[in-house]
Amino acid sequence: MTKPTKLTFINGKPTLAPYDQIERKDNDRTYNQSRDVNQTKYVKFYHSTLWTHKRETIKQRDLDLCQRCGMELELVDHIVPSKDDWEDRLSDDNLQGLCNACHQLKTKREWIKHHKGANRYMTINIVCGLPGSGKSTYVYKHRTEHDLIYDYDSLMQSLTGLPSHVKNFDVHDYIVLFFEQMLRKLKSEQTFDNVWIIQTYPDERIDSLLSPYHHVNHILIDVDKQTCIDRLNNDKRLNSSLISVFNEFETKNFTNFKRVTE
Ligand SMILES: [Zn+2]
């Protein structure tokens, strides 16, 4: 005959154990102790005056509105959770006002990502090349179903509504802001299968930001200058500002790049 069982808490989890087994107290004590040590840091932080003041500043900055849906702000949230990025817990860029409903949605998404993320491997591909070399074409050919594509030129175009060669410096600032937030989020997540960053020149800043966290591929679309100029001419995309881009490009170092021809 099997021994009768009882429902008890072992390591803080409800478990069925033989009715005569006595381990609950010791186990619970160890569990509670380790939980207390881990949580003290967070509890202390959320009760600190530093945080209370910061929360008020963010509420004012966000005009008491939820930054996702525009309803009344109910809490101040860490965009990258403080447990993932303790250093950034007081940085304005990492804080946003939310309503409870939006916060719950965000937390749920984060939970799914963290649990799926363990089996996921996200690759970051930095794709460089001259204007007209076919960077976007290359990316669109190689992207998969669940990718993120950052393309400066097409963002500029969709945010200004102007042809792609027209650059507006005020809009540039907004695109950079978006890019920085995007990198910040990517640092802590494995959301995508591939991330494609399309840019003309290499940018070491991105590498140093991302490389400790992710595998980064460097791809150079290796097409000679004349071919690019001919293509741009044909598409009526060649203009004087591109000449300086061509000259600047020749001074760049592409030694760690894999060269592909399109
Ligand atoms: Zn909301």
Side-chain angles (χ1 to χ4, degrees):
M1 210 179 90
T2 46
K3 257 187 181 177
T5 53
K6 63 176 179 184
L7 182 65
T8 183
F9 281 82
I10 297 177
N11 293 328
K13 284 185 187 125
T15 311
L16 278 178
Y19 78 101
D20 54 353
Q21 183 178 317
I22 311 165
E23 56 179 320
R24 171 180 170 175
K25 276 184 186 147
D26 281 353
N27 267 318
D28 270 9
R29 203 173 296 135
T30 348
Y31 172 78
N32 286 337
Q33 267 168 6
S34 78
R35 192 191 55 187
D36 286 351
V37 172
N38 286 329
Q39 290 198 342
T40 315
K41 184 166 91 161
Y42 299 109
V43 174
K44 258 195 190 152
F45 169 64
Y46 285 108
H47 284 100
S48 66
T49 4
L50 214 57
W51 171 244
T52 323
H53 283 158
K54 178 55 80 177
R55 201 174 51 195
E56 283 313 306
T57 322
I58 300 297
K59 275 185 178 174
Q60 281 175 18
R61 182 199 67 185
D62 290 352
L63 306 170
D64 268 315
L65 297 173
C66 169
Q67 298 304 295
R68 293 218 168 175
C69 71
M71 299 294 279
E72 196 187 335
L73 179 157
E74 288 171 284
L75 55 92
V76 171
D77 165 69
H78 286 94
I79 298 174
V80 174
S82 52
K83 65 172 163 38
D84 293 336
D85 198 344
W86 184 245
E87 298 293 299
D88 252 358
R89 68 194 180 283
L90 283 168
S91 117
D92 287 5
D93 288 349
N94 193 36
L95 294 166
Q96 61 178 352
L98 291 180
C99 72
N100 283 329
C102 287
H103 182 248
Q104 265 172 29
L105 261 178
K106 177 176 177 263
T107 315
K108 198 174 156 194
R109 269 184 55 229
E110 274 161 7
W111 189 91
I112 294 170
K113 269 180 206 161
H114 273 277
H115 287 74
K116 239 170 64 178
N119 303 315
R120 199 165 197 151
Y121 185 73
M122 181 167 83
T123 305
I124 311 240
N125 302 291
I126 299 177
V127 182
C128 295
L130 281 169
S133 59
K135 300 185 287 291
S136 312
T137 317
Y138 176 84
V139 170
Y140 282 94
K141 215 190 261 175
H142 291 88
R143 58 138 197 212
T144 58
E145 283 280 295
H146 204 78
D147 288 5
L148 174 74
I149 301 173
Y150 170 90
D151 183 347
Y152 178 93
D153 283 350
S154 67
L155 281 173
M156 178 60 88
Q157 208 174 344
S158 59
L159 291 175
T160 57
L162 297 169
S164 67
H165 64 268
V166 185
K167 306 283 182 250
N168 175 318
F169 285 106
D170 293 322
V171 175
H172 169 83
D173 287 348
Y174 282 80
I175 300 179
V176 171
L177 206 68
F178 165 74
F179 187 61
E180 282 165 3
Q181 286 287 349
M182 185 186 94
L183 290 183
R184 187 193 288 281
K185 214 165 150 51
L186 287 175
K187 239 169 82 170
S188 67
E189 294 180 346
Q190 300 281 325
T191 315
F192 303 99
D193 293 336
N194 293 285
V195 175
W196 304 90
I197 297 171
I198 304 178
Q199 49 182 196
T200 307
Y201 318 122
D203 180 351
E204 279 119 35
R205 208 177 48 101
I206 302 178
D207 286 19
S208 57
L209 256 168
L210 288 171
S211 52
Y213 303 92
H214 299 291
H215 180 69
V216 182
N217 284 327
H218 297 84
I219 299 161
L220 171 66
I221 311 296
D222 198 7
V223 175
D224 69 276
K225 201 170 155 181
Q226 195 51 53
T227 312
C228 292
I229 292 177
D230 291 347
R231 280 183 192 164
L232 292 168
N233 256 330
N234 279 338
D235 300 346
K236 302 198 169 37
R237 279 163 64 207
L238 193 66
N239 63 82
S240 54
S241 71
L242 283 180
I243 301 303
S244 60
V245 175
F246 275 89
N247 294 332
E248 178 82 14
F249 193 82
E250 282 173 355
T251 67
K252 300 289 175 183
N253 177 4
F254 290 99
T255 39
N256 62 338
F257 276 72
K258 185 182 127 192
R259 287 166 187 266
V260 298
T261 43
E262 264 314 285

